[in-house]
Amino acid sequence: MAKVSKRQVRKAVKTISKAPKGVVFVCYLLVVVLALGYFLYTNFFVKKGGEDYLVYSNVEGEISFHFLTLGNSTPGDCTLVQVGDNDILIDAGSDEDSLDDVKSYLSDKVTDGVLEYVIVTHSDMDHIACFQVDGGIFDSYECEVIIDFPKSTHSETSGSYKDYLEKRNAEILAGAEHYNALDCYKNTNGAKRVYELSPYVDMEILYNYYYDHSATKNNNNSVCLLFNHEGRKFLFTGDLEHNGEDDLVRENDIGKVCLYKAGHHGSITSSSKTLLDEIRPDFCIFQTAVGTDKYTSDTANQMPAQKVCDEIKKHTDRVYATSIADREFNGDVEIADLNGNIVVVSKLDRITVYCSNNATKLKDTNWYKERRITTLS
Ligand SMILES: [Zn+2]
């Protein structure tokens, strides 16, 4: 766009001041009407979105976590973490048809086409769907460092895990550094346990017993991560289940966390009392389709399970969930936003949760009131 010189501005002002008073009045009136229209539109018609926050002692630096809705009723994970110029993608589920939603969100946020870190917690489809598909993340972004799981119970020679390995290996051939979480934990083969993302924020790969021991359930192979922002902690455990969580607590010095991305989408298999008593979260995010009957018809065990809700509410009621799949609360629509895309920002004296749909706490939703017992036993 051509630059407007001071002389041109002065000339324009002179021209307007020379204009008949009626024209000037109409111009002013137009500006006032437009401003009033904008105010009314943004304050009374655009009501989507909401936020919540907690105040902490002041810190320098900033980190944000973006928990994405994934466009279907299959629970799955996909979280973008941003620290300065570092874009970190944790998983890319939940199914191949999530790709449009994921790419659309990333195109707004990752404008240089580079993901500095890609973390793949484990090899289940609801975490690798958008990596293994043609035109997926590895095909669309330059990935600088890929950290994934040392073990998988899936076959390397067939299905989506084979496709994942092919796409990942092509990205490594194209120049990406690749480490598994065990090498990270042990600081071996060029991998690091702690990655400094800024002078104020780092990302630590925690030790999971199943990095170097066989698991019967693939969920237990999950890479576990702790982000630390000047003492504020943010925990990601993939789909790690109870026995893995108990080991995680024993083997690592986690302590209280500000945010817990609930393990295994709020399944009854995860978020053990041992883990929650250790981490005592201030905020909890369920990246799931609340009330999905995909895995069980028992409403008490549908995600997030009653038992999980009970354990979490001992520590916090700041619980949010991306989507809802329970038809009774959702009409004929198969999937809808609950809180929607959830962005958690740690900055200055507070942690703020921004929700694209609304910031209604899970306990205050109609689904919770109908499907979960609200009082502590
Ligand atoms: Zn999962």
Side-chain angles (χ1 to χ4, degrees):
M1 194 188 282
K3 248 187 158 178
V4 181
S5 69
K6 281 183 183 170
R7 182 181 291 179
Q8 284 171 312
V9 173
R10 274 199 299 273
K11 204 174 165 191
V13 171
K14 232 178 191 175
T15 309
I16 291 170
S17 60
K18 276 185 185 168
K21 283 205 169 79
V23 174
V24 174
F25 176 73
V26 168
C27 286
Y28 280 130
L29 195 64
L30 199 61
V31 168
V32 170
V33 166
L34 285 174
L36 187 67
Y38 180 76
F39 173 81
L40 289 173
Y41 178 73
T42 52
N43 284 277
F44 296 99
F45 295 100
V46 185
K47 267 296 177 196
K48 272 202 146 190
E51 62 185 78
D52 181 24
Y53 68 90
L54 262 180
V55 173
Y56 297 80
S57 55
N58 212 38
V59 290
E60 292 190 73
E62 179 177 350
I63 183 168
S64 63
F65 302 88
H66 305 245
F67 300 90
L68 278 60
T69 55
L70 296 168
N72 58 46
S73 58
T74 302
D77 280 359
C78 185
T79 309
L80 174 69
V81 185
Q82 294 192 299
V83 182
D85 293 335
N86 282 309
D87 295 310
I88 303 118
L89 188 68
I90 307 173
D91 289 334
S94 61
D95 215 333
E96 291 184 1
D97 66 5
S98 303
L99 188 60
D100 285 348
D101 285 32
V102 171
K103 281 173 80 170
S104 155
Y105 194 93
L106 292 184
S107 68
D108 275 354
K109 304 289 176 192
V110 185
T111 50
D112 62 357
V114 179
L115 291 166
E116 278 72 15
Y117 298 88
V118 167
I119 317 287
V120 188
T121 63
H122 64 296
S123 58
D124 285 353
M125 187 64 168
D126 61 314
H127 297 253
I128 63 168
C130 300
F131 290 119
Q132 52 86 47
V133 67
D134 282 338
I137 298 299
F138 288 136
D139 292 337
S140 313
Y141 285 87
E142 184 187 331
C143 303
E144 292 189 342
V145 176
I146 302 168
I147 296 171
D148 61 9
F149 39 87
K151 290 178 183 293
S152 171
T153 59
H154 296 311
S155 165
E156 291 185 9
T157 55
S158 64
S160 56
Y161 183 40
K162 171 178 174 275
D163 296 339
Y164 165 79
L165 290 174
E166 282 177 7
K167 295 284 183 192
R168 183 203 69 184
N169 292 343
E171 191 67 13
I172 296 167
L173 270 179
E177 294 175 40
H178 168 243
Y179 309 109
N180 73 48
L182 184 61
D183 276 336
C184 288
Y185 179 73
K186 291 160 78 176
N187 280 307
T188 51
N189 296 321
K192 290 197 263 185
R193 185 187 296 180
V194 178
Y195 288 87
E196 196 175 284
L197 304 173
S198 82
Y200 314 104
V201 179
D202 61 43
M203 172 177 76
E204 179 183 356
I205 316 303
L206 299 175
Y207 176 67
N208 167 7
Y209 174 84
Y210 293 104
Y211 290 163
D212 48 1
H213 295 83
S214 292
T216 49
K217 294 171 96 174
N218 200 40
N219 289 332
N220 275 330
N221 290 315
S222 293
V223 177
C224 298
L225 297 166
L226 191 69
F227 292 87
N228 190 331
H229 178 199
E230 298 275 84
R232 298 178 186 175
K233 296 176 181 178
F234 306 84
L235 179 66
F236 291 74
T237 58
D239 284 358
L240 192 68
E241 300 196 356
H242 284 168
N243 46 347
E245 291 175 336
D246 294 351
D247 286 322
L248 190 78
V249 169
R250 198 164 38 244
E251 301 283 349
N252 301 275
D253 184 18
I254 303 175
K256 180 173 172 57
V257 304
C258 296
L259 181 140
Y260 169 52
K261 206 288 293 175
H264 199 190
H265 323 286
S267 163
I268 193 165
T269 60
S270 301
S271 302
S272 68
K273 183 178 186 313
T274 308
L275 177 67
L276 286 163
D277 284 350
E278 166 75 11
I279 63 174
R280 295 160 283 137
D282 294 332
F283 293 93
C284 179
I285 307 291
F286 289 116
Q287 199 161 26
T288 193
V290 162
T292 178
D293 57 7
K294 192 177 170 76
Y295 301 107
T296 176
S297 57
D298 180 351
T299 52
N301 289 343
Q302 286 165 356
M303 299 166 175
Q306 175 74 56
K307 199 162 179 288
V308 171
C309 293
D310 287 347
E311 285 304 327
I312 289 172
K313 73 186 174 192
K314 290 176 188 170
H315 304 283
T316 185
D317 68 354
R318 289 189 152 81
V319 179
Y320 300 94
T322 47
S323 311
I324 183 161
D326 191 324
R327 285 170 190 273
E328 197 167 315
F329 296 90
N330 203 25
D332 293 328
V333 186
E334 192 180 45
I335 183 75
D337 290 350
L338 195 61
N339 295 123
N341 291 314
I342 300 169
V343 182
V344 179
V345 180
S346 172
K347 184 182 178 183
L348 297 171
D349 68 344
R350 64 192 59 198
I351 293 177
T352 310
V353 176
Y354 300 93
C355 303
S356 66
N357 198 30
N358 60 62
T360 306
K361 294 182 175 97
L362 187 68
K363 73 176 178 63
D364 296 326
T365 61
N366 290 333
W367 178 85
Y368 193 95
K369 288 173 185 169
E370 186 78 23
R371 292 278 186 262
R372 296 289 171 261
I373 300 158
T374 52
T375 51
L376 271 173
S377 53

